[in-house]
Amino acid sequence: MAAQSQAVVPLVDLVAQYRTIQPEIDQAVAGVIGRAAFVGGAENAEFETKFAAFCEARHAVGVGNGTDALFLALKALGIGAGQEVIVPANTFIATSEAVTAAGAKPVFVDVDEGTATISVAAFQAAITPRTAAVIPVHLYGRSADMAPIVAAAKAHGIAVVEDAAQAHGARYQGKRVGTLGDVACFSFYPGKNLGAYGDGGAVVTNDEALAKRVRMLRDHGRKSKYLHETEGHNSRLDNLQAAVLLTKLPHLQGWNEKRVALADLYRKLLEKESTLHLMAPAKAGEHVYHLFVVRTRPEHREAIQKSLSEAGISTGIHYPVPLHLQPAYSQAGYKKGVFPVTERLANEVLSLPMYAELPDATAERIAHALASSAARS
Ligand SMILES: *Cc1c(COP(=O)(O)O)cnc(C)c1O
């Protein structure tokens, strides 16, 4: 049958993307190897300048990965033992791991039903005298509702650390994510909207002193080659990765626009399905659709996922187990039911294939298979 001979549609297709830019990438990588410029190097400095400009921010500091970006940002802010950092329960564990790594305590809160990003009311209710920071996560490629978060944080003297690992290029009230709080953290994990060919990350800020501290902390606390101001870490952005990122950066805006067009197409094809529920639409130009997430009826999700898989369509669940219910946090004593929105989402969300090279005809096939499977379930 024709359907069975069709190639599997992956969630993200990094090989398809490579094919569109292969000569540029190969040349950039060969250049780094030819000059043996593996750590530091011209590509690193140029990428930092250009990524800061892309974010419409003053400074970007390349680091080893997105988790380290969060950790180093918290450390540079002086956050540590005895302090609390508020984190949404609906995110990848890196967000809270960084808090623990810095010596502080992650305090989980629920998210907003329409956007799956941190609930402003829940954040405000969780503030204590020990709260040092909040980490709004721009989940799935859409900014958290930053204006009330920043206002409440200012009123309480709390730092705002954006987790922008899924949202390169997203905007909020016209401003790029990365400039909305005190400091922002990006991941260049291969599958992100801007992905390296390995691990990478960046800390972005308008605060020069903070950027300087991150720069020192990522490189053994160095001021100069053998003068160490403090003990730091080894978490620099690999220069081969910087070369890859520098090559990809001019394409990012176009890739994001394709993701938005694909999301609009999915939305148009699925919005009439009564057994599915779509996330609240975002304003034009704000969402960059790292993921396109639909909500199924919880009792249907497994069967839908299986039937799509049989049709050669990959799907994902972001995320199936909320952080407050992870074994890693069992000591913290959170009970099932405390964050009802996050827990509902965990049972209902389904991520569809999403990448710039995905043909419209394939998206139509995916939407059709999803709609008929949801209706049958
Ligand atoms: C990917 C991701 C991170 C961590 O990035 P790494 O580069 O993999 O360390 C942090 N937060 C969120 C929300 C992410 O999706």
Side-chain angles (χ1 to χ4, degrees):
M1 259 170 66
Q4 280 169 337
S5 64
Q6 251 165 334
V8 170
V9 186
L11 256 189
V12 50
D13 190 341
L14 298 178
V15 175
Q17 186 193 63
Y18 173 55
R19 287 202 191 102
T20 69
I21 50 171
Q22 183 166 0
E24 299 170 68
I25 291 278
D26 292 357
Q27 193 186 2
V29 168
V32 171
I33 298 171
R35 283 175 285 115
F38 300 116
V39 176
E43 285 82 0
N44 239 278
E46 190 181 346
F47 175 68
E48 287 181 342
T49 303
K50 290 193 168 157
F51 189 65
F54 176 83
C55 294
E56 300 170 5
R58 290 208 187 94
H59 309 280
V61 183
V63 297
N65 55 69
T67 312
D68 279 1
L70 288 160
F71 164 67
L72 294 171
L74 291 168
K75 266 200 96 163
L77 284 165
I79 291 168
Q83 296 185 308
E84 297 173 354
V85 176
I86 297 172
V87 173
N90 184 37
T91 178
F92 181 59
I93 194 171
T95 316
S96 50
E97 275 177 327
V99 174
T100 308
K105 178 183 160 197
V107 172
F108 296 115
V109 297
D110 210 352
V111 296
D112 176 75
E113 183 98 43
T115 65
T117 61
I118 190 167
S119 153
V120 176
F123 155 55
Q124 286 174 308
I127 295 171
T128 75
R130 292 175 301 284
T131 308
V134 58
I135 311 185
V137 180
H138 305 317
L139 200 71
Y140 308 151
R142 141 190 257 158
S143 173
D145 189 9
M146 293 298 286
I149 292 168
V150 170
K154 260 209 183 109
H156 288 88
I158 294 169
V160 178
V161 179
E162 296 174 72
D163 183 338
Q166 300 189 359
H168 320 68
R171 288 185 185 274
Y172 174 81
Q173 296 181 350
K175 289 176 71 183
R176 287 260 200 231
V177 305
T179 60
L180 305 168
D182 295 291
V183 58
C185 303
F186 289 86
S187 164
F188 305 121
Y189 184 80
K192 303 286 161 103
N193 287 32
L194 179 62
Y197 287 173
D199 282 305
V203 176
V204 169
T205 183
N206 283 330
D207 180 337
E208 184 170 5
L210 193 66
K212 258 193 183 150
R213 283 201 291 284
V214 174
R215 225 172 259 292
M216 212 156 69
L217 286 171
R218 74 166 173 184
D219 192 22
H220 300 293
R222 266 200 258 262
K223 218 170 175 184
S224 59
K225 187 157 188 181
Y226 291 117
L227 190 64
H228 305 272
E229 197 77 2
T230 64
E231 277 191 337
H233 303 271
N234 179 352
S235 184
R236 298 164 300 220
L237 178 62
D238 186 290
N239 204 43
L240 276 170
Q241 302 308 339
V244 168
L245 293 166
L246 194 54
T247 306
K248 283 187 171 195
L249 185 58
H251 300 280
L252 178 56
Q253 182 67 27
W255 288 334
N256 280 346
E257 283 165 15
K258 288 236 175 89
R259 285 173 182 270
V260 170
L262 191 56
D264 288 346
L265 178 59
Y266 274 142
R267 195 172 272 285
K268 193 178 97 198
L269 295 168
L270 294 170
E271 68 193 349
K272 291 201 187 71
E273 297 307 320
S274 59
T275 55
L276 293 172
H277 186 74
L278 303 181
M279 295 284 171
K283 288 197 198 109
E286 295 212 333
H287 203 320
V288 292
Y289 288 98
H290 174 57
L291 294 168
F292 188 86
V293 174
V294 300
R295 289 172 67 177
T296 64
R297 297 207 171 139
E299 67 276 18
H300 292 175
R301 185 173 66 184
E302 206 180 314
I304 292 173
Q305 217 180 4
K306 183 158 171 278
S307 112
L308 289 178
S309 163
E310 283 162 6
I313 297 162
S314 308
T315 55
I317 297 174
H318 301 89
Y319 296 90
V321 181
L323 291 186
H324 66 289
L325 302 177
Q326 290 284 353
Y329 296 110
S330 60
Q331 293 298 318
Y334 290 94
K335 297 268 185 305
K336 215 175 159 137
V338 289
F339 302 136
V341 180
T342 295
E343 292 172 37
R344 251 196 320 277
L345 288 168
N347 292 326
E348 297 180 3
V349 290
L350 190 67
S351 307
L352 304 185
M354 172 52 81
Y355 47 93
E357 299 75 21
L358 186 79
D360 283 1
T362 308
E364 282 166 16
R365 177 161 81 83
I366 293 165
H368 181 75
L370 172 61
S372 61
S373 153
R376 265 198 326 270
S377 294

